[in-house]
Amino acid sequence: MKVTEVVLRQMKMKMKSPFTTSFGTFQDKEFLLLEARDETGLSGWGESVAFHSPWYNEETLKTNWHMLEDFIIPNLLKKEIEHPDDVSEVLSYIRKNNMAKSTIEGAIWDLYAKQKGIPLAKALGGSANQIEVGISIGIQNTIEDLLRLIEEYVNEGYKRMKVKIKPGWDVEVMREVRKHFPNIPLMADANSAYRLKDISLLKQLDEFNLMMIEQPLASDDIIDHAILQKEINTPICLDESIHSYEDARKAIELGSCKIINIKIGRVGGLTEAKRIHDLCLEHHIPVWCGGMLEAGIGRAHNIALTTLSNFVMPGDTAASSRYWEEDLIDPAVEVENGMITVPEKPGIGYAPNLETIKKFTVYEKTYS
Ligand SMILES: O=C(O)CCC(=O)c1ccccc1C(=O)O
Ligand SMILES: [Mg+2]
């Protein structure tokens, strides 16, 4: 296969409500979309999950644009590619910049599946027809606000509640949540807000029977997490620390975590995500698919990945309507009783809505 033309679009979409983590608040979502066209007129689509600011990792939508325009697109344009698995090999001389690489890799996977006439999920080797999803709830102004939201999402059927925590919004908050919802599948995500010196505070979370605590310590750490895991009963799930198969292998070997959150962009694409999935399966480490407040294209990729067999815990891929008044795909991603039905159409299985995409495009450029 060959990509003959690429369109890069810078998007800006207003979120229905702000989303706050330990590192900052999202009001608008600014991100890149990449459309990879072949000579027959088919298009594959990818979404960059890099944010406007480098607060989750070091990438931003502008570093992604730079890497794509100056290195990645020139490397892949008009190049004969046997299989999407080869894309990461072609790009392997570029260090890091995983989200930039993943943007085009995802588009090429979608294009490949469309050329074959099969769903992306099938192309990846997935078999689930439906996937279970949970929801991630940002830091709120008051505990009452949080309890109200949880109630709402429990009633909507989401299979797992993830509560963002940070110093000053942690043990008391989780205690109240547990008190009001004694039986819900519940977890906390710290986005690297703590250090080993906070071990006694983190131990207190053991009381609340959490499914896991996500990324409590530094975003580049697997050593201190291994120390912490020996001291607490709550399973640690790594997010920010895992950028590759090698990172996952080392974290598993060290005992830094018992669960891994796989985000396609963070690990450089679907091929690497699949490799990490397979490694975790071998080592009896359950995985789930993380979210980056994606619009429809990114959400569709997450759904396809989640059909692989070791995605045994509900992920963060909530309904489009939880984030957007209007999403970029037809139909929008819908969740019923905490389940998403995996589309059966070729590729990502949701049609990019070119009119809506145009409406939210700030700037675009074509490479051919
Ligand atoms: O709803 C989603 O897409 C997941 C939200 C979420 O938890 C998150 C949002 C932005 C940055 C990092 C994270 C995270 O998983 O750590
Ligand atoms: Mg996280």
Side-chain angles (χ1 to χ4, degrees):
M1 64 185 293
K2 224 187 266 181
V3 174
T4 54
E5 190 168 78
V6 170
V7 185
L8 255 191
R9 294 175 173 88
Q10 183 176 327
M11 312 298 294
K12 184 170 183 172
M13 287 169 76
K14 195 173 168 38
M15 299 193 67
K16 267 190 178 172
S17 54
F19 188 89
T20 299
T21 69
S22 63
F23 56 71
T25 298
F26 298 84
Q27 212 103 39
D28 291 319
K29 180 90 198 290
E30 292 175 77
F31 62 97
L32 304 183
L33 279 187
L34 188 147
E35 180 183 356
R37 297 178 178 149
D38 71 5
E39 61 275 295
T40 74
L42 282 176
S43 283
W45 291 79
E47 177 173 330
S48 158
V49 296
F51 297 124
H52 176 269
S53 305
W55 49 17
Y56 170 82
N57 71 343
E58 71 285 0
E59 297 184 77
T60 68
L61 63 105
K62 283 191 185 170
T63 70
N64 275 204
W65 190 291
H66 160 54
M67 292 308 299
L68 283 160
E69 173 167 276
D70 294 333
F71 299 100
I72 297 172
I73 294 171
N75 273 167
L76 289 167
L77 205 57
K78 304 201 171 68
K79 193 183 190 79
E80 190 55 46
I81 303 161
E82 293 252 328
H83 188 274
D85 279 341
D86 302 338
V87 172
S88 51
E89 193 55 41
V90 174
L91 300 178
S92 63
Y93 80 97
I94 302 170
R95 302 227 167 146
K96 298 194 176 175
N97 293 286
N98 282 354
M99 292 175 176
K101 292 172 180 170
S102 174
T103 308
I104 196 160
E105 200 249 23
I108 290 173
W109 267 105
D110 179 30
L111 182 60
Y112 170 81
K114 282 170 176 160
Q115 288 177 349
K116 297 261 175 229
I118 58 173
L120 177 58
K122 288 274 171 319
L124 292 168
S127 54
N129 306 318
Q130 283 200 310
I131 60 164
E132 283 195 333
V133 292
I135 196 160
S136 172
I137 307 173
I139 291 161
Q140 305 297 313
N141 290 326
T142 67
I143 294 182
E144 291 68 44
D145 289 347
L146 176 64
L147 295 174
R148 210 171 311 120
L149 279 175
I150 294 177
E151 169 105 51
E152 194 180 301
Y153 296 137
V154 167
N155 290 338
E156 283 177 32
Y158 281 102
K159 302 280 188 196
R160 176 225 68 192
M161 299 293 139
K162 165 165 139 184
V163 173
K164 293 286 193 181
I165 58 170
K166 66 172 185 182
W169 180 268
D170 44 38
V171 176
E172 285 320 306
V173 172
M174 297 312 289
R175 177 170 289 121
E176 283 301 309
V177 172
R178 225 354 145 210
K179 202 170 94 195
H180 286 80
F181 303 94
N183 298 317
I184 57 167
L186 179 66
M187 60 174 287
D189 184 2
N191 287 108
S192 300
Y194 300 91
R195 294 296 174 265
L196 262 191
K197 65 173 170 48
D198 302 312
I199 208 158
S200 61
L201 181 145
L202 294 167
K203 266 187 190 174
Q204 292 179 59
L205 295 172
D206 279 346
E207 237 183 276
F208 310 127
N209 186 28
L210 303 181
M211 297 168 82
M212 70 195 92
I213 176 164
E214 187 179 345
Q215 197 72 34
L217 306 180
S219 64
D220 58 358
D221 171 77
I222 55 171
I223 305 287
D224 287 355
H225 280 100
I227 297 171
L228 176 64
Q229 184 65 91
K230 290 192 182 70
E231 299 292 322
I232 63 175
N233 296 328
T234 307
I236 291 176
C237 170
L238 287 177
D239 173 354
E240 281 89 330
S241 294
I242 305 297
H243 307 101
S244 62
Y245 175 94
E246 280 301 303
D247 285 350
R249 179 181 67 76
K250 291 167 190 169
I252 293 169
E253 196 162 314
L254 284 174
S256 318
C257 63
K258 294 182 177 163
I259 300 167
I260 291 181
N261 159 345
I262 299 182
K263 289 181 180 168
I264 304 164
R266 197 192 65 227
V267 304
L270 284 163
T271 297
E272 193 73 1
K274 223 166 103 68
R275 291 182 71 219
I276 295 171
H277 164 274
D278 295 351
L279 174 77
C280 289
L281 181 60
E282 234 174 82
H283 290 269
H284 310 290
I285 300 284
V287 303
W288 54 277
C289 184
M292 293 285 277
L293 311 171
E294 291 93 343
I297 306 283
R299 211 157 282 283
H301 281 89
N302 290 344
I303 292 165
L305 179 67
T306 305
T307 62
L308 299 182
S309 66
N310 194 34
F311 281 86
V312 289
M313 293 179 143
D316 274 346
T317 308
S320 295
S321 62
R322 178 253 200 286
Y323 311 84
W324 319 111
E325 290 294 348
E326 202 179 356
D327 204 344
L328 306 178
I329 49 168
D330 289 322
V333 173
E334 278 168 20
V335 174
E336 242 178 281
N337 280 319
M339 308 289 286
I340 294 174
T341 302
V342 179
E344 285 168 4
K345 296 205 176 103
I348 56 173
Y350 296 86
N353 183 323
L354 295 174
E355 241 164 72
T356 319
I357 289 173
K358 197 165 172 193
K359 189 158 108 189
F360 296 115
T361 299
V362 178
Y363 177 70
E364 70 171 76
K365 192 165 168 184
T366 302
Y367 305 83
S368 54

